[in-house]
Structure formats: C-alpha cells, structure tokens
Amino acid sequence: MAAVQLAGSQHGGPSPDAPQEPGPESGPAFPRLWAKLRALRPDDSSAARTEIHLLLDQLISENYHDGGPVAPEDVSALLVQACRLVRLHQNHLVSKVSQLIHHLLNRLQVIVDEQNLDFLLSYTISAIQQCSPWTHMEILQALAALVYCNGSKCQKYLPDLVGKTGLLMKLSDPAQADPEVRRAAVHCMANLCLSVPGQPCLDEPYQRICFQTFLTTLQSPQWSDMDDIAFCMLLQNALKGIQSLLNGGRKKLTHTEELGALLAVLKKSMFHGLPGLNIEIPTVLYPTLLPQYDGRPPARPQQPQPCTSRPAMNKKKKAKVKPRKVQHGEEEEGEEDSSGEMEASPAPGSADLPRENLLWASPPGLQSLPPDGSGAAGKARSSSLLTCSSWKRASSSESDYSDAEGGMQSKMRSYQAKVRQGALACFLSTIKSIEKKVLYGYWSAFVPDTPELGSPQSVSLMTLTLKDPSPKTRACALQALSAILDGSKQFLSVAEDTSDHRRAFTPFSVTIASSIRELHRCLLLALVAESSSQTLTQVIKCLANLVSNAPYNRLKLSLLTKVWNQIKPYIRHKDVNVRVSSLTLLGAIVSTHAPLPEVQLLLQQPCASGLSGSNPATPHLADWWKKAPSGPSLEETTVSSPKGSAEPCWLIRLCISIVVLPKEDSGSGSEAGSAAGSTYEPSPMRLEALQVLAHLARGYFSVTQAYLMELAELICKCMGEADPSVQLHGAKLLEELGTGLIQQYKADSAIAAAQRVPVVLVVAFWTMMLAGPLPRALQNSEHPTLQASACDALSSILPEAFSILPNDRQVLCITMLLGLNDSKNRLVKAATSRALGVYVLFPCLRQDVIFVADTANAILMSLQDKSLNVRAKAAWSLGNLTDTLIVNMETPDPSFQEEFSGLLLLKMLRSAIEASKDKDKVKSNAVRALGNLLHFLQPSHIEKPRFAEIIEEAIQALISTVLVEAAMKVRWNACYAMGNVFKNPALPLGTALWTSQAYQALTSVVTSCKNFKVRIKSAAALSIPGLRAQYGSIEQYAQIWTALVTALQKSEDTTDFLEFKYCASLRTQVCRALLHLLSLASASDLPCIQDALAHSGNMVRSYILQFLKSGAEGDDTGTAPGPQEGDKMVKRALEHISSIQALAGDTAQSAIASYLKEILTVHADAAGPQMPPCD
C-alpha cells in the first residue's frame, strides 16, 4: 500500500557508524542488530533484499536474554523500522518480518504501545489483503501477538477485522480451505477479545459476532483432512475466546438458547478425547424447571445436579519459569501436561469406575494413604488451575515434542487434555457470569445422580474426576464442581430422604437427596483413588463445600460418618496443603447444621479410631490427643465429656496439639507457610486447627467445655505470639468460648444447671485471660484488626462472672473499652461501641449512673462518626442503653431516675433524632432508642420548656419512620417505639396535636403495610393506651376502630407466600386491640361500633371465636395470651359496655352487649362443660 510505503522515513534516524557487514562483533545482541537495521534504507534491489533477509534471520535467531533487559519501546521501534523496509509485494520478506513480530513480542513479552500499534496493525492488515495466501499463517500469528492485551486500542480496525465482512471472519469461516489459517484466525480473534482490567472491552456488537464465531467453531465437526492436533488447537483457541469474553464482565448470557448452546458445546468439549468414552450431546441444553417457592430457583427433578463451591482464583497467567517464555496467547505445548498425565500412572486404574466398590469399604481398608504423586508442600495451591493453565496460548510450533517424550501418542493425549481443561475453565467462567437460580436449572447436566438399576451412570463432572488420566484435568473438574456447590445451601435445602417414599412418582426433594448421596459416594471414591497431592487437595476442598451446603438434618444418617472416617488418615499426609484442607473439611463437618446428633457421636469416638495403621507425618501427636482433659476443667467441675464419658475428644486433642506442640523433623521437605527455623507446624495448619476449635465451641460447646481451662492456656499462648494471624485466631476462639458460656446461662437455655460450667470456673477462665496477653492485644494499635477482635472477645464475658471478678479487673475492662472508643481506626471504634452496648446491660453495671453516663457520652460521640458501620454499632448500643433506662425505671428505687442528667437525656434525644434520618442500618435502632427515651421521660423533664420542642420533634421523627417505605425492621421498630411512647402517662397523649398524626400513621400501617409483622406491631401499639381520653375525640376513636376491623378483614390479603404464616398472629393481635377498645368505649363511641358490627359483625365474630378457641396462639409481640385471657377480655368488655349509661333512645349499648354475650355463649357451647356459662 502506498500509505505504508510512504512511511519509509527512518525511525530515529540512521546511525552513521553502524557497521554494514557482520563481523567479529561483541556486546549485547539487540542494540547491535537494532543499529544495523536503522542504517538500512528501503530498497527493492536483490542485494538489499538479501541483506534484509540475513538481518531478519539474525534478529529471529538471537537469544536476547543474555544481553540484559530490552526496553519495550525499542522493540516496538525496531518492528516498525523492519516493516518500513519491507514492501508488501515482497512475499518472502513479509513472511519473515511477520515471524520477527511474532517471535520478538513473545520472546521478550512486550505489549506494543498505542502509537506503534497503529502502524503495525495497518501494515499487517494490508499484508493479509495483498500478499499471497501462503503467507497468511505467519501474518496472522504476528497479528495475534500485536492485539494481545491491546483489544481496546484496536477500535478503528475492528470493522476490518471482525466486521461482517472482516478479514478474521472470512479466514475463520468453517469453509476456509486451510485449517491452519482458520485456527490462526480464531486464535487472533481470541486475543482480540482478551480484556485488561481498567481498559474498555469490545463493543457489544463485536462481542456478539466473536462469541457466535467461537460457538460455531466448537459446534463444527472435525474435517476429514484436519489432523487431530490441529483440531485440538482450534478448539482451545475458541474456548479461550469465549472465556475472555465472559471474564471481561460485559458478556451476559441472558437468552436460554444462547446459554443452552454454550453449555452443550462445553459439556461436549469437557470429554474431548477421554479414553473409553463416546457420548452424544444435544446441540442445546435446556433448563429443567424447579419449584418456585421461597424464592428458590428451578432444577430438573429426574437427574443429577451440581452444587457450588468457591471458585479458587481469578484468571491469571501461570508464572512458572520455563526454558522458553511464551506470551500473547501463545500456547506452551507438551511438556507440562505430558508429565502431569504421567503422574497419575503409578496408581493402577486410577479413579476407574469399576473401583466404585472401594468407596464404602470398611475402615481398615481405608487406613493407608494413597501414594502421593507430586506435591512438595510449598507448591502453590491448585485453586487457580482452571484459569492459569497453559491452554490459553496457542502456537503452531511443534518443536517442543520429540520421540523421547512419548511420541505422537503422548503429544495427542496432552493436546486433548488441554481441550478438556480449557472447556472446564470456560465452564467455570460461565458459572460466575450467570445467576445461581439459572445455573441450577442445568444441575442434572453436570452433577451425578444415583443411576437407576441396570442403567449406566450419566456423564458428569464426577466422570472426569474419576476417569480422566490427567491430574490437572481432574483438579479442574473438581474446581468447577466446587463453584456449583458454593452458595447452593438454599437450593439443596429442599432435599429430604429421612422416610421411604413409596409412590408413583419421585418427589423433587428425593431427587435432590439422591444427587447429594451420589456426590458423597463419588467424591469419597475419588479421595481413595487420587494419586496427585494437588488434585487430592481439590477433592477435599470440594467435599468441604458439599458438607457446608448439604442439609444433613433432612437426610439419612451415615453420610457424614463415612466422610469423617475416610478423611482421618489424611490429617497426617505428607503434603501440608492436603493436611490443611483435611482440617478444613473437619471444620465444615462440625459447623454444618450444628449440633447434629451424628456429629455428636463422632466426636465421642475413641481417639485412635480411624487413625491407626497409617504413617503419621507427626507421630508425636499420637499420645497427646489420647490424654484425658486436665486442669481445672476436670478437677473443679463434673462437666467432663458428654454423657459422662471419660473418653477425650480426639479432634480437640488433635487441634490443641497442632497449635502448641513443636513439630518433629520428619524430613518431608519444605512446608508451605512455615517460617525458616519455625519449631511449630506450618502456620496454615495452626490457623486451621484454631478455626476448627472455634467451630466446635460454637456448635458443640457441651463437648468443648471439658477443655475450658486447657483452651484458656492455648489462647494465652496464641495471643502472646508474634504472628498477628495466630493472635487473631486466638481472640476469635476466645470470643466463641465466651459466647458459648453466655448461651448456657440464658434464661431460655435448655442446659440443666448441673451441666453448665460453674460460674467460679468461668471467673477463673476470665481471670486468666485478663491477666494474660488480652490487655496487650487491646492496646496493640499496630494491628487494629486484632484490637477489634479482642474487643469482641471482651464483650463475650458472662455477666454473672463479670460481677464476681475482682474490682480491679472490672475497672480494667471498662477503662480499656472507654479508652478505645477514641480510636481513629473504624474497625476498633465499631467493636468498642458494640462492646459498650453489651456492658451497659450487665445487671451489676446498669444501675451505676456514672458508668451509664460515660457510656452514653462515648456512644453519642460514635454516632457522629463518618463510618456507617461505626454509626450502626453505636445506634445498636444506644438502643441497649435506653433499654437499661427502662429497666431502671421499673425498679422500686427511684434514685437512678433522679440522678441521671437531664442535659444528657436532651443530648441523647437530639442524637437519636438525627440518627433516625440516617441509613436503615442506623435508623432501625435510632427509633428504638427514641421510643425508650420518650417512655423514660419523667414529669419533671416534660414540664421544662426546653424539652417541649425536642419531644415534638422526636415524635414527628417516629411518625415519619412508621410511614416511610423503609426496611421492614425499621418500620417494625418504629411501631414498637410508638407503643413505648404511649406507655408514658406523663405525655399529653389524647390532647397533644401529634396524637391524631400518630394514630393515623399506625392505622395506615395496620391496614395496608405489605409486611404482616409490621402490621402486628402497629396493632399492638394501638392497644396500649389505658384510658379512653388517650384515644382522643369520638372521630379519632371511630377511625381506629374502623381501621382495626378493616385490618381483620384484610388479614389474608397478601401476594407474598411468606407472609401467610403471620396471618393468625395478626388476627390475634387485632382481636385483642378491638376488645381493648371495647373495654374503654364511652357512650358516644357506641353508635360507630354498632355501625361497624352491622356491616362486618359476622366476620369479626368468627375471628374473635377463633381467637378464644386458640387461647395461647402466639403473636409477634412476645407476650402470648394465657388460655383464659381471651375469655377475660371479652367478659371485661361486656361488663364495661353493660355499665355505660346509655343515651336516651340509643339501642347501640344493648345491641353490642347482646353481640358479646352471643360470642361467649357460642364459645362456651363449643368448649364443653368445663367452661362456666355466661350470665
């Protein structure tokens, strides 16, 4: 092209001293050759072409790594100069310069800058248009290297490349005669789609064109004249392109047909070349409709299904050092995967399906560990296997292979494995880019189900995990399965197989339960059959994800027992990542749906069960975990192991030993996570052991409490170490233990007093903590996360124990918390605000006016913080503090109310009003505090003029919050707060201007709020005033009565299935409010009541009778009526109505009285002779 040839002016000018002839030259190769190239001028003579040929050959053959780093801008300038020297009619030179572009950019790993990219793209596009077809392969390789990570800078060339008649569209067409050119074009398009963080993606129309091209490529059959390896490389490039589009975040798979077609080709590609498997996959997979209740997504009832686990990592290139560096979408072929596949060979029949009978083998058959094939302990975790595998790059070079490496057969297996890995990586990206409810519609296509008798097992991700010869592919399949399982708890919660279902159809719940059982069976088979440590880690992680999400409380027993018994030997595996993941799995078992009776029994198993017979990596642990619990935990209390068993919990003993005992030099090589010269187990092992102990403390405290003082020593040791991570996990364990002790002493606790940890032992526990490193952790300002965690731990102290602590320890706790409230770190400040909110509820502190005032000032300061989290915690604490004010107000001693500062009350009211205008997280507790404060106000406060305005403002804030369309919790708290306001007899309820506004807000909510719990709370608030005068005028009373009747009438009007369970509670509360209003009615109110009953009397009667019959039917107020309370309320209303002096000529009184008598008579007849008849 003329434009290209015109650009022949030299880049940077010639170097006059540049040598013209190669000779005995020394020095770095790149500057020397670059100087030669700059000295040349465009010339079409034969001698000039020969010289350029020789120089280009020299540039391609040089090893640039020996001469020091080369500046990227110099590489770009050299390539521009080379292109300017070569005219487009010189086919051989164009081919040579294309090879140079491809070679230099890949070898030196250079991304071309935008200015030079513009010239080079123009040159290569023109070259494809003008040069002979035999040069297209090399030019496309050069183009692929240029556009790699540069897609956003190629906007003006996109129409020429991927427009409807673009070059790449033509060359990638299935009708393209040369398969290698087609593969190179698809590779080029895939590199173009690769997005770089922070840079724009391709425009949507071009994304759609590229996606369809990749999809068509994957759907097309292999040509008869295309060799298998070329076809594999074509598939790899198409898969890479789709994954790049999905990872960019802009490609949305919203159409069922598009998603179904993609999933179909991905499933087909997942099994590409897998030995012994020949499957037919439909061109489109369609989702199975799932039950649509409780917001759960749809899934196919008659096949297996997947669950999701955390996708291990994001897409990053593998950072392994190779003899030859590769980049720009170049695929590194052969060696790694070949060796990886050979790694599995020592395990005969590795994961072959006929070995399924190994799965449920008796424990003795499972004691020996499978041979460990590969991993050094320091190897990076395999979480990024899918996204960093070498399939991302493609090259035509086949020089990496030789007969010595296994010949064509080995090479073929390697390429096929890369296709499967690429399909799995692309599938993982697909999982991340679609909603879970959409994904679970395809559950049966990728997750195994128990095959019917005589039927073959359907192919799934577990087929790859059990049968693929490549350990990397097996790990990729496991990672994809984990991604499906992650977050599947709600979907799997429908599973149920606790009873035998003998019916004509299989319920969906049974289908899902069957799938869960099959996943357990296959993963446990994979566990015993796996030979690669890296893949073994993925098996265990996948099991942990399954355990975390499966509803074991709805499944038959034994699933967890099988997992428990089979994972035990791996705790001593020589690879540290396997050991860590084994502990993670045990942690998942003891945290899922805790406490489970099955796990409770497992924890009581003899300590050596399932552990003998293996070669322990840490044999010194064996005696340690067999020891019975020692120290005050057994000597000072009879609370030992559950049910009085003297057998120690082996898991607790194991975790303690991992944390505190020095490791033995077992000669297993370097350990991941262990510092040089460390005497303990690697840090990940110790941290995971501490997490397991925390899970046990949370879910199985009855087992853990026997080790309380021993764990106290362990916590002191951890928090005294230099490693902040160990300190932090120690503090978390302390918090869980403290919370477990508090749960035991709660009023509604089912734990018998004799089975609780004695308070004296709890005091000893906390005395040790406060005398140890806990105060130092609280003062460690260099590690604010540790400080915050220590604050959380300090807030978990048992109130009964705190009151017995020595006075100096109590003062220490309070002083530390009040001091930390001034911290500039928001994490610390939030934790401190919450801790103060806990302490202010302590019985021994809540009547201390000075402490309550100090806490109030600290909380009010935090309410002004810029951090929403700090303000939310402070608002919660303010709500607790005002609860304390109400509790103190109800005590006989009035000294607290008298001594509490009125000025501080004023400040609290102002702060709560401001907080009620904040975000919902703050607002919900701010309105709770407002209600309590208005309830607490004494006549001496209300009489003061400075309080009048603030009271009006506070009530207006509550009214607006009741009416605002906010979160349910906010409106519920606002209605609750309004009820608290009505409880203060000193407020002018009934006469104040705000009375009608308050009642209008509550009646609006009780009849129309979508949330029934809010309706219930508003009805409860309307039934609180104890005097007729407090309901205001006759019209106001009539409005409230009518609204309550309407609320009763509309008590089943909802489109939300979840609200139906609150219908009965709503009717109960509304009936109580109506009867309460009747018991206060005046003669002037009776006509409006009579009118309402004339229109809706039958409906009201039926619901009141239902209320009387249900007796103690619960409501949402927390105060369920007694069995006779309903009768008493009706009788009280009847007595009151009968006692009213009726107005002359008014028949309303007798009509209402007759109505109530009829209700009592009907109820008495229905109840039988045990109920006294109505007078």
Side-chain angles (χ1 to χ4, degrees):
M1 255 197 171
V4 175
Q5 294 170 6
L6 183 67
S9 62
Q10 277 181 280
H11 193 83
S15 171
D17 338 320
Q20 299 297 312
E21 301 282 343
E25 298 143 337
S26 59
F30 187 87
R32 175 168 44 82
L33 296 173
W34 173 210
K36 281 186 178 182
L37 195 68
R38 277 185 307 195
L40 297 179
R41 297 287 186 278
D43 190 345
D44 206 15
S45 66
S46 175
R49 288 202 302 271
T50 302
E51 187 176 7
I52 293 173
H53 260 297
L54 292 173
L55 189 52
L56 291 178
D57 284 338
Q58 204 172 355
L59 281 164
I60 292 172
S61 63
E62 280 290 346
N63 180 7
Y64 298 104
H65 294 297
D66 295 340
V70 179
E73 55 271 19
D74 289 342
V75 176
S76 300
L78 182 146
L79 295 176
V80 168
Q81 173 67 0
C83 291
R84 284 173 173 159
L85 291 172
V86 176
R87 301 177 189 275
L88 292 180
H89 65 274
Q90 300 169 331
N91 284 322
H92 286 87
L93 282 177
V94 169
S95 173
K96 190 66 65 72
V97 82
S98 298
Q99 291 175 37
L100 177 65
I101 294 172
H102 173 256
H103 175 79
L104 282 185
L105 294 183
N106 283 320
R107 175 63 62 89
L108 299 177
Q109 302 199 3
V110 170
I111 306 294
V112 180
D113 61 273
E114 192 164 0
Q115 181 181 352
N116 289 316
L117 177 68
D118 189 63
F119 173 85
L120 292 170
L121 282 178
S122 175
Y123 182 87
T124 50
I125 291 172
S126 300
I128 294 176
Q129 293 170 337
Q130 298 181 36
C131 293
S132 300
W134 66 265
T135 64
H136 288 177
M137 180 66 192
E138 283 79 12
I139 300 172
L140 286 171
Q141 284 184 329
L143 182 61
L146 287 168
V147 300
Y148 182 80
C149 289
N150 267 328
S152 61
K153 301 172 187 174
C154 303
Q155 294 294 332
K156 74 176 185 179
Y157 297 102
L158 290 179
D160 293 333
L161 292 172
V162 289
K164 289 187 178 179
T165 58
L167 291 173
L168 296 181
M169 299 303 297
K170 293 177 181 175
L171 297 176
S172 63
D173 191 271
Q176 167 60 232
D178 187 343
E180 281 296 318
V181 170
R182 182 186 175 197
R183 183 197 65 76
V186 173
H187 177 212
C188 218
M189 198 180 296
N191 280 4
L192 194 62
C193 295
L194 185 66
S195 61
V196 178
Q199 294 185 10
C201 306
L202 292 185
D203 292 339
E204 202 276 333
Y206 295 116
Q207 284 196 35
R208 192 167 57 248
I209 290 171
C210 293
F211 180 84
Q212 194 55 51
T213 302
F214 298 140
L215 200 59
T216 303
T217 301
L218 292 171
Q219 291 170 333
S220 303
Q222 181 177 351
W223 294 350
S224 57
D225 60 341
M226 178 184 274
D227 68 81
D228 290 342
I229 289 179
F231 185 60
C232 286
M233 294 173 72
L234 176 66
L235 296 179
Q236 288 176 55
N237 289 326
L239 289 166
K240 169 194 167 184
I242 291 178
Q243 189 185 12
S244 295
L245 288 172
L246 294 174
N247 291 347
R250 293 276 298 276
K251 177 64 184 172
K252 300 299 179 187
L253 299 167
T254 52
H255 302 296
T256 302
E257 288 284 337
E258 184 182 54
L259 177 59
L262 173 61
L263 292 176
V265 295
L266 290 181
K267 185 171 183 179
K268 177 183 175 184
S269 302
M270 285 177 197
F271 299 97
H272 181 78
L274 189 64
L277 213 62
N278 187 14
I279 58 171
E280 289 295 327
I281 305 289
T283 54
V284 179
L285 295 180
Y286 290 99
T288 303
L289 292 180
L290 300 176
Q292 292 291 338
Y293 50 86
D294 280 358
R296 293 190 182 97
R300 179 176 291 184
Q302 296 199 343
Q303 290 196 30
Q305 286 135 24
C307 298
T308 78
S309 171
R310 201 158 298 161
M313 257 190 213
N314 282 334
K315 316 96 198 160
K316 290 191 180 175
K317 287 181 289 183
K318 183 170 289 185
K320 276 193 174 180
V321 178
K322 298 280 181 179
R324 160 182 174 271
K325 290 194 176 178
V326 188
Q327 192 188 342
H328 302 321
E330 281 296 310
E331 179 174 37
E332 199 159 356
E333 298 155 1
E335 296 162 354
E336 185 183 350
D337 276 351
S338 294
S339 60
E341 286 161 22
M342 304 307 284
E343 184 181 5
S345 59
S350 171
D352 221 3
L353 280 179
R355 295 182 61 196
E356 288 175 0
N357 59 340
L358 289 177
L359 184 57
W360 306 131
S362 57
L366 299 172
Q367 298 310 310
S368 59
L369 289 176
D372 186 357
S374 71
K379 193 180 277 187
R381 297 194 179 196
S382 56
S383 56
S384 58
L385 279 167
L386 282 182
T387 51
C388 67
S389 52
S390 60
W391 71 276
K392 287 184 173 182
R393 300 172 176 151
S395 163
S396 63
S397 168
E398 298 178 1
S399 60
D400 292 335
Y401 290 93
S402 66
D403 291 338
E405 291 177 302
M408 289 302 295
Q409 196 71 20
S410 172
K411 179 179 174 184
M412 186 67 238
R413 286 198 303 268
S414 174
Y415 272 97
Q416 290 171 340
K418 287 179 185 177
V419 172
R420 299 195 294 273
Q421 291 157 24
L424 289 164
C426 198
F427 180 52
L428 180 60
S429 296
T430 306
I431 291 170
K432 294 176 184 177
S433 65
I434 59 178
E435 294 181 22
K436 291 289 186 183
K437 65 181 180 182
V438 175
L439 172 66
Y440 293 141
Y442 299 92
W443 172 271
S444 59
F446 297 98
V447 182
D449 190 9
T450 306
E452 295 180 8
L453 197 61
S455 302
Q457 174 96 43
S458 59
V459 293
S460 67
L461 291 170
M462 284 311 309
T463 309
L464 290 169
T465 302
L466 293 168
K467 302 198 75 169
D468 200 291
S470 164
K472 183 185 286 187
T473 310
R474 298 197 297 271
C476 290
L478 287 161
Q479 191 178 351
L481 180 58
S482 275
I484 299 172
L485 285 167
D486 188 29
S488 63
K489 182 173 288 187
Q490 188 182 29
F491 171 69
L492 296 181
S493 65
V494 301
E496 198 269 327
D497 71 347
T498 51
S499 57
D500 292 329
H501 297 274
R502 301 185 182 278
R503 57 187 80 178
F505 67 94
T506 303
F508 179 69
S509 59
V510 175
T511 301
I512 295 298
S514 168
S515 185
I516 292 173
R517 282 198 309 272
E518 183 66 6
L519 276 171
H520 280 78
R521 188 185 73 82
C522 292
L523 285 170
L524 289 176
L525 178 58
L527 184 70
V528 297
E530 187 53 63
S531 59
S532 161
S533 293
Q534 201 173 19
T535 309
L536 185 60
T537 302
Q538 288 296 324
V539 174
I540 299 171
K541 284 181 178 179
C542 196
L543 265 171
N545 272 297
L546 175 59
V547 167
S548 297
N549 290 283
Y552 293 100
N553 53 331
R554 295 168 57 88
L555 302 173
K556 290 178 181 176
L557 298 179
S558 81
L559 286 178
L560 283 175
T561 302
K562 289 167 181 171
V563 176
W564 180 276
N565 290 333
Q566 283 197 297
I567 199 59
K568 278 183 178 181
Y570 294 89
I571 297 166
R572 302 181 181 184
H573 196 276
K574 70 179 182 180
D575 187 285
V576 69
N577 291 324
V578 174
R579 301 205 302 272
V580 171
S581 56
S582 299
L583 280 176
T584 304
L585 175 54
L586 288 170
I589 292 174
V590 298
S591 61
T592 184
H593 297 282
L596 287 173
E598 183 179 2
V599 177
Q600 190 92 25
L601 290 172
L602 291 172
L603 290 170
Q604 297 172 44
Q605 281 183 350
C607 59
S609 174
L611 288 167
S612 58
S614 60
N615 290 324
T618 50
H620 60 294
L621 302 183
D623 294 335
W624 175 271
W625 68 43
K626 291 180 184 177
K627 293 193 299 184
S630 58
S633 57
L634 283 184
E635 295 169 6
E636 300 179 22
T637 177
T638 58
V639 185
S640 57
S641 300
K643 301 185 180 178
S645 167
E647 184 67 46
C649 174
W650 72 269
L651 183 55
I652 294 179
R653 305 300 318 169
L654 169 68
C655 291
I656 292 175
S657 65
I658 288 172
V659 175
V660 303
L661 287 188
K663 67 179 180 182
E664 287 191 357
D665 294 329
S666 56
S668 59
S670 61
E671 299 272 78
S674 61
S678 172
T679 60
Y680 295 107
E681 287 289 322
S683 182
M685 277 286 288
R686 301 180 74 209
L687 298 181
E688 203 62 48
L690 286 168
Q691 284 198 15
V692 173
L693 289 172
H695 291 318
L696 284 166
R698 185 185 306 122
Y700 299 89
F701 190 78
S702 60
V703 177
T704 314
Q705 67 185 47
Y707 300 85
L708 186 64
M709 297 310 292
E710 196 168 346
L711 290 173
E713 293 177 8
L714 177 141
I715 292 167
C716 287
K717 174 177 174 53
C718 289
M719 295 187 70
E721 290 193 18
D723 185 351
S725 298
V726 176
Q727 290 179 297
L728 183 63
H729 280 72
K732 294 287 186 187
L733 175 57
L734 173 57
E735 182 186 355
E736 293 295 348
L737 289 172
T739 304
L741 290 167
I742 290 172
Q743 295 295 329
Q744 279 197 341
Y745 278 85
K746 277 193 170 179
D748 58 352
S749 172
I751 307 294
Q755 293 300 312
R756 297 175 182 173
V757 177
V759 174
V760 64
L761 189 59
V762 181
V763 172
F765 173 82
W766 280 106
T767 301
M768 183 187 294
M769 293 297 103
L770 294 170
L774 181 58
R776 289 200 300 275
L778 287 164
Q779 295 173 316
N780 189 350
S781 57
E782 293 182 6
H783 298 289
T785 307
L786 176 61
Q787 274 185 299
S789 189
C791 282
D792 291 335
L794 199 59
S795 69
S796 68
I797 189 168
L798 183 69
E800 291 86 341
F802 185 86
S803 61
I804 307 175
L805 281 175
N807 189 58
D808 62 328
R809 301 292 95 182
Q810 293 185 16
V811 171
L812 173 68
C813 294
I814 294 167
T815 306
M816 298 278 278
L817 290 177
L818 289 172
L820 284 172
N821 195 68
D822 295 327
S823 172
K824 293 181 181 177
N825 184 277
R826 291 170 183 176
L827 278 177
V828 178
K829 199 163 188 176
T832 306
S833 295
R834 181 189 169 277
L836 288 170
V838 172
Y839 273 48
V840 81
L841 295 174
F842 284 5
C844 63
L845 293 177
R846 66 184 174 210
Q847 289 191 322
D848 184 336
V849 178
I850 296 176
F851 169 72
V852 174
D854 287 344
T855 300
N857 283 312
I859 290 170
L860 294 182
M861 184 175 70
S862 296
L863 267 177
Q864 310 302 318
D865 198 87
K866 293 180 181 179
S867 166
L868 175 61
N869 189 39
V870 173
R871 297 198 306 276
K873 300 291 185 187
W876 179 81
S877 295
L878 182 62
N880 284 6
L881 190 145
T882 56
D883 286 344
T884 289
L885 298 184
I886 301 303
V887 171
N888 288 336
M889 186 177 71
E890 293 168 354
T891 58
D893 184 6
S895 58
F896 184 89
Q897 295 94 296
E898 294 167 359
E899 295 176 23
F900 197 77
S901 166
L903 187 60
L904 182 55
L905 268 178
L906 210 58
K907 283 174 63 180
M908 291 167 70
L909 277 166
R910 286 200 182 99
S911 292
I913 290 168
E914 286 304 310
S916 71
K917 302 169 187 173
D918 206 332
K919 304 287 187 185
D920 283 356
K921 288 174 71 174
V922 180
K923 187 184 295 187
S924 61
N925 283 299
V927 293
R928 174 165 74 103
L930 274 178
N932 284 335
L933 288 168
L934 291 169
H935 183 190
F936 179 77
L937 288 177
Q938 306 301 305
S940 59
H941 299 131
I942 296 171
E943 292 165 1
K944 295 176 182 177
R946 62 182 177 179
F947 273 91
E949 185 180 345
I950 202 77
I951 289 172
E952 172 77 21
E953 196 178 340
I955 292 174
Q956 290 300 332
L958 287 179
I959 291 170
S960 64
T961 309
V962 168
L963 292 172
V964 75
E965 286 295 328
M968 179 276 293
K969 184 178 179 181
V970 173
R971 300 184 76 183
W972 189 96
N973 274 358
C975 292
Y976 173 82
M978 196 65 80
N980 267 341
V981 174
F982 293 168
K983 291 178 183 177
N984 190 342
L987 291 172
L989 179 62
T991 59
L993 293 175
W994 50 261
T995 301
S996 61
Q997 294 174 285
Y999 284 131
Q1000 284 170 13
L1002 290 171
T1003 52
S1004 170
V1005 167
V1006 81
T1007 56
S1008 61
C1009 184
K1010 293 179 181 178
N1011 188 280
F1012 275 27
K1013 293 180 78 174
V1014 177
R1015 288 199 208 183
I1016 291 166
K1017 190 51 67 177
S1018 62
L1022 288 169
S1023 64
I1024 285 175
L1027 300 173
R1028 170 61 188 85
Q1030 291 179 317
Y1031 283 101
S1033 65
I1034 297 170
E1035 293 78 12
Q1036 183 70 62
Y1037 181 96
Q1039 180 193 352
I1040 296 169
W1041 175 271
T1042 306
L1044 287 170
V1045 171
T1046 305
L1048 204 56
Q1049 206 165 13
K1050 296 167 69 175
S1051 60
E1052 292 185 3
D1053 293 354
T1054 180
T1055 56
D1056 188 348
F1057 175 81
L1058 296 176
E1059 295 300 322
F1060 278 109
K1061 60 183 176 182
Y1062 300 112
C1063 289
S1065 296
L1066 174 60
R1067 290 192 291 269
T1068 295
Q1069 190 57 59
V1070 172
C1071 287
R1072 293 174 74 179
L1074 286 170
L1075 292 171
H1076 177 73
L1077 281 171
L1078 277 173
S1079 66
L1080 298 176
S1082 65
S1084 305
D1085 299 323
L1086 298 182
C1088 83
I1089 296 174
Q1090 184 184 23
D1091 290 345
L1093 293 177
H1095 288 94
S1096 309
N1098 291 334
M1099 180 271 298
V1100 174
R1101 182 191 298 111
S1102 67
Y1103 283 133
I1104 291 180
L1105 284 170
Q1106 199 176 58
F1107 165 60
L1108 295 176
K1109 180 182 178 182
S1110 62
E1113 181 176 7
D1115 58 30
D1116 192 56
T1117 64
T1119 55
Q1124 302 300 320
E1125 185 178 344
D1127 299 353
K1128 290 177 182 176
M1129 292 182 75
V1130 177
K1131 288 178 180 177
R1132 192 182 307 122
L1134 177 58
E1135 289 169 7
H1136 175 73
I1137 295 295
S1138 301
S1139 68
I1140 294 175
Q1141 186 68 37
L1143 301 174
D1146 187 4
T1147 61
Q1149 181 194 31
S1150 58
I1152 296 169
S1154 300
Y1155 182 83
L1156 292 173
K1157 286 179 182 178
E1158 183 186 354
I1159 288 174
L1160 285 173
T1161 302
V1162 172
H1163 178 58
D1165 292 343
Q1170 71 273 16
M1171 177 152 184
C1174 176
D1175 294 335

